[in-house]
Amino acid sequence: MIVSGSGTIELTNRAARASLGDPDAPALAGQAFETVVRQWVLSEEDGTEVAAERLLAGEPISTTIRAVHRATGERRWWRPSCQPLSSEGECARLLVLEDVTAVKEAEVRTRVLADSGRALVESFDFEQRLANVAEMAIPALADWCAIYLADDALNLRRVVTAHGDSAKQALAQRVAQMAGDLIEPTTDLGRVIRTGASILHEDVTTEMLARRARTADQLRQLRALKLRSAVVVPLRIPERTIGAMILATAESRRRLTTERSEEHTSELQSHHD
């Protein structure tokens, strides 16, 4: 796309519109570049936020940019490059947002699986292995993770809680404790452990949280996590389901989908077996 010296989009092609989310959208010409890009939360791989104006700075950006759409939670990866179209004053700039989402998602998934496999091998303690896997999953696959184990008497025990934001770790632990000490068959956790089938909520609604909370204080804590999507997957051994893992997104605003959740969780599950 071409952006004027004043920051107005002058021209976009189909590839640029595709990178911004919709190749068939009306032309973006005439709109402020900052307004269009602010629909996305931009950050580097380590979570450092990236301002929209940095894309037009003309300075090389050595890392790929993670872009999460504020409204839909869609995640993309961009490799931006920008160059002036003239050497005089505040000239127009040519900005290329190369969409490398497919490559980057595969790279992140491979790295997480490699790290989790290494973590499993490094520990002989089964519960520590599960804790290691939870740490590997955050923040690459989700923002929040909790793992529970169940026994034949339907006793439930939380093994680990991990949150990508250390400031919310204690809150995440309090929310995870709401599951109690016994499996409740009507809850998502209970159904997954009982049936061995995953449950996905692409959009976590206020109504879902209200059904989950037993008290007003619990509802307040659930809302404070600002959950976007969540999936509950079984932990299996050949004979039976021994527990479940909850993966949820929040601050990143990513939306977990059926395809993506099944991909990630089945691959992580294969490291437990």
Side-chain angles (χ1 to χ4, degrees):
M1 73 177 69
I2 295 177
V3 183
S4 71
S6 63
T8 300
I9 297 175
E10 296 184 345
L11 178 69
T12 60
N13 61 9
R14 182 180 174 83
R17 293 193 297 274
S19 291
L20 290 168
D22 189 352
D24 299 317
L28 300 175
Q31 297 189 45
F33 172 77
E34 186 171 336
T35 300
V36 171
V37 176
R38 280 195 182 279
Q39 298 178 63
W40 301 81
V41 178
L42 307 182
S43 64
E44 297 183 14
E45 289 188 61
D46 62 3
T48 303
E49 290 193 20
V50 175
E53 51 266 26
R54 183 180 168 191
L55 300 179
L56 297 175
E59 301 175 357
I61 298 178
S62 58
T63 183
T64 50
I65 300 298
R66 180 173 54 217
V68 178
H69 198 278
R70 295 181 186 275
T72 66
E74 177 185 8
R75 181 170 66 172
R76 291 176 177 269
W77 293 89
W78 297 338
R79 183 177 290 131
S81 62
C82 182
Q83 59 183 18
L85 297 178
S86 170
S87 59
E88 301 178 3
E90 290 189 355
C91 65
R93 285 148 290 181
L94 173 63
L95 173 66
V96 176
L97 295 176
E98 181 184 359
D99 192 325
V100 294
T101 302
V103 173
K104 196 63 185 176
E105 290 284 352
E107 176 187 313
V108 170
R109 188 164 61 249
T110 299
R111 184 173 66 244
V112 170
L113 293 174
D115 289 345
S116 63
R118 189 161 46 249
L120 290 172
V121 170
E122 289 173 353
S123 174
F124 291 101
D125 183 276
F126 178 67
E127 293 188 12
Q128 183 59 50
R129 291 185 182 189
L130 293 177
N132 291 343
V133 169
E135 294 294 336
M136 295 300 107
I138 307 300
L141 305 184
D143 302 314
W144 181 76
C145 175
I147 298 178
Y148 300 83
L149 292 179
D151 61 22
D152 293 333
L154 301 184
N155 295 306
L156 189 66
R157 185 161 54 88
R158 178 174 54 88
V159 178
V160 63
T161 304
H163 197 292
D165 183 352
S166 58
K168 288 192 173 183
Q169 178 68 23
L171 174 61
Q173 289 177 339
R174 289 197 297 274
V175 168
Q177 288 170 351
M178 293 180 190
D181 299 324
L182 290 174
I183 297 175
E184 296 183 28
T186 58
T187 65
D188 287 348
L189 197 59
R191 286 197 295 271
V192 168
I193 293 174
R194 190 178 73 255
T195 66
S198 301
I199 294 177
L200 168 68
H201 298 294
E202 291 191 20
D203 294 287
V204 175
T205 65
T206 301
E207 290 75 16
M208 290 178 188
L209 299 181
R211 288 195 300 269
R212 178 69 184 83
R214 295 187 180 90
T215 65
D217 185 56
Q218 285 188 355
L219 180 58
R220 180 188 59 78
Q221 293 180 39
L222 286 168
R223 285 176 172 170
L225 277 180
K226 298 181 179 179
L227 300 177
R228 175 61 185 270
S229 290
V231 61
V232 187
V233 296
L235 297 178
R236 290 186 291 263
I237 58 176
E239 297 80 15
R240 63 184 181 90
T241 299
I242 61 170
M245 174 190 294
I246 300 175
L247 291 170
T249 60
E251 290 80 2
S252 69
R253 308 310 297 157
R254 287 175 288 175
R255 173 178 284 157
L256 298 174
T257 62
T258 301
E259 181 180 359
R260 180 174 295 175
S261 297
E262 288 179 351
E263 255 183 20
H264 293 336
T265 55
S266 64
E267 288 171 331
L268 280 173
Q269 175 70 43
S270 68
H271 284 73
H272 305 158
D273 298 341

